[in-house]
């Protein structure tokens, strides 16, 4: 694994002039922020040694290097999900590569189903904590001590300073930003009413099929993490409505400009 990471990093480093400091992972329908990046380089995943390739609608598969709000960034347009059949190691490989390229901050966006009945589709929620309900973990197996500790501490996964900055900047641009707990599930089937009730009782405010694996690896390599999810649909156990991919993509697309602006402001406010 260390060799594979090194090969991907060497390939990318030879193409860029300076190291990115911020890594961005874009969720379903949330690619808009890359339009704001002053682009230096765009690399399709299939050209990068050992990179997986994304398969689903609404996800492109390119790594974008450039500057945003005066900071060097690398953004993943298109990400990998466990439900596509990728291993947890494959899903998180890009995070390890970004970290070795010099990234210190990891910004993640994602589409999610709302579990808090007060939420409405289009809401943005900054994630304060998560529950890993994917029945797996990307750190299973021998620990690579050179990359991080055997038992990473998870007492404060999401960086408080970044959360506070996001709240402040959201207020400045008059975007309402909810706060809550994200439950990461495996998918691809959506939740039954009983599962939805269970997740809510477990303390989750939103549920999605991505992100927790990348976040766990982000903690392993000591990145400062900010996760903002777009609530694309709201699931109420006693009044479940059908959820479609079209609806998720449409709701995410509507929220995308607000989220892009928020991220630009948060990145601009970084030291
Ligand atoms: N459940 C799981 N993942 C999701 C949902 C949902 O309702 N909406 C968007 N991603």
């Amino acid at each position: 694994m260390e060799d594979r990471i090194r090969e991907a990093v060497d390939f990318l480093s030879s193409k860029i002039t300076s190291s990115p400091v911020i890594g961005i992972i874009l969720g379903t329908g949330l690619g808009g922020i890359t339009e704001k990046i002053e682009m230096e380089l765009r690399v399709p995943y299939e050209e990068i040694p050992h990179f997986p390739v994304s398969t689903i609608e609404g996800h492109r598969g390119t790594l974008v290097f450039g500057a945003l709000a005066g900071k060097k960034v690398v953004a993943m347009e298109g990400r990998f999900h466990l439900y596509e059949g990728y291993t947890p190691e494959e899903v998180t490989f890009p995070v390890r590569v970004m970290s070795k390229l010099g990234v210190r901050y990891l910004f993640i966006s994602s589409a999610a189903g709302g579990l808090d009945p007060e939420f409405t589709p289009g809401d943005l929620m900054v994630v304060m904590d998560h529950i890993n309900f994917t029945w797996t973990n990307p750190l299973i197996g021998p620990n690579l001590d050179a990359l991080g500790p055997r038992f990473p501490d998870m007492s404060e996964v999401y960086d408080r300073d970044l959360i506070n900055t996001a709240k402040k900047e959201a207020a400045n641009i008059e975007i309402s930003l909810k706060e809550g707990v994200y439950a990461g599930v495996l998918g691809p089937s959506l939740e039954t009413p009983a599962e939805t009730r269970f997740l809510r009782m477990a303390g989750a405010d939103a549920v999605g099929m991505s992100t927790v694996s990348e976040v766990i690896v982000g903690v392993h390599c000591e990145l400062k993490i900010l996760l903002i999810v777009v609530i694309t649909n709201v699931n109420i156990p006693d009044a479940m409505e059908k959820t479609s991919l079209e609806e998720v993509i449409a709701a995410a697309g509507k929220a995308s400009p607000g989220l892009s602006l928020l991220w630009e402001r948060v990145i601009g406010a970084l030291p």
Side-chain angles (χ1 to χ4, degrees):
M1 160 109 105
E2 282 176 279
D3 287 345
R4 276 179 283 138
I5 295 168
R6 197 172 314 113
E7 282 173 37
V9 169
D10 288 349
F11 171 82
L12 293 167
S13 306
S14 71
K15 293 180 177 287
I16 51 177
T17 52
S18 59
S19 298
V21 180
I22 300 154
I24 304 176
I25 304 178
L26 302 163
T28 305
L30 295 167
I33 196 163
T34 52
E35 281 153 31
K36 296 180 176 239
I37 297 177
E38 237 175 87
M39 201 176 316
E40 180 186 341
L41 178 72
R42 178 172 228 142
V43 194
Y45 291 161
E46 54 266 25
E47 290 179 13
I48 308 169
H50 313 297
F51 240 64
V53 174
S54 31
T55 60
I56 71 162
E57 200 186 324
H59 287 255
R60 280 182 276 186
T62 41
L63 207 53
V64 176
F65 290 86
L68 183 66
K71 308 282 190 322
K72 288 282 178 182
V73 303
V74 52
M76 286 179 71
E77 286 185 304
R79 54 143 49 117
F80 308 104
H81 303 85
L82 294 170
Y83 65 73
E84 293 175 272
Y86 296 109
T87 63
E89 208 177 287
E90 288 172 315
V91 166
T92 57
F93 183 76
V95 177
R96 296 201 182 281
V97 170
M98 289 196 281
S99 160
K100 288 287 175 200
L101 279 171
V103 160
R104 290 286 146 258
Y105 296 90
L106 185 59
F107 282 43
I108 308 179
S109 68
S110 169
L115 300 169
D116 181 335
E118 310 261 295
F119 287 177
T120 46
D123 279 347
L124 299 181
M125 182 186 102
V126 62
V127 172
M128 311 299 284
D129 201 352
H130 76 228
I131 306 174
N132 178 8
F133 273 132
T134 63
W135 319 124
T136 188
N137 192 297
L139 303 179
I140 290 171
N143 186 56
L144 297 170
D145 294 332
L147 302 184
R150 170 75 290 188
F151 300 107
D153 182 72
M154 298 290 282
S155 60
E156 198 187 300
V157 170
Y158 300 93
D159 188 79
R160 296 293 135 173
D161 291 337
L162 288 179
I163 291 171
N164 288 336
T165 305
K167 284 168 34 174
K168 202 173 100 206
E169 293 299 334
N172 282 344
I173 54 176
E174 294 181 7
I175 284 182
S176 142
L177 187 61
K178 315 283 186 200
E179 296 172 28
V181 172
Y182 175 86
V185 296
L186 185 54
S189 49
L190 288 142
E191 298 72 43
T192 64
E195 287 164 348
T196 302
R197 191 175 295 110
F198 167 77
L199 291 170
R200 184 68 184 144
M201 280 168 42
D205 300 291
V207 54
M209 301 174 192
S210 60
T211 304
V212 290
S213 304
E214 292 101 311
V215 165
I216 290 168
V217 165
V219 170
H220 192 239
C221 41
E222 295 182 354
L223 302 182
K224 291 182 190 294
I225 301 170
L226 179 65
L227 167 59
I228 298 182
V229 299
V230 175
I231 305 298
T232 55
N233 52 288
V234 179
N235 304 334
I236 310 294
D238 295 318
M240 283 297 275
E241 290 178 9
K242 292 193 192 300
T243 301
S244 67
L245 179 61
E246 292 70 33
E247 178 190 351
V248 168
I249 291 175
K254 269 195 206 147
S256 184
L259 182 56
S260 301
L261 181 60
L262 178 56
W263 275 12
E264 194 180 3
R265 305 273 302 214
V266 174
I267 289 171
L270 291 180

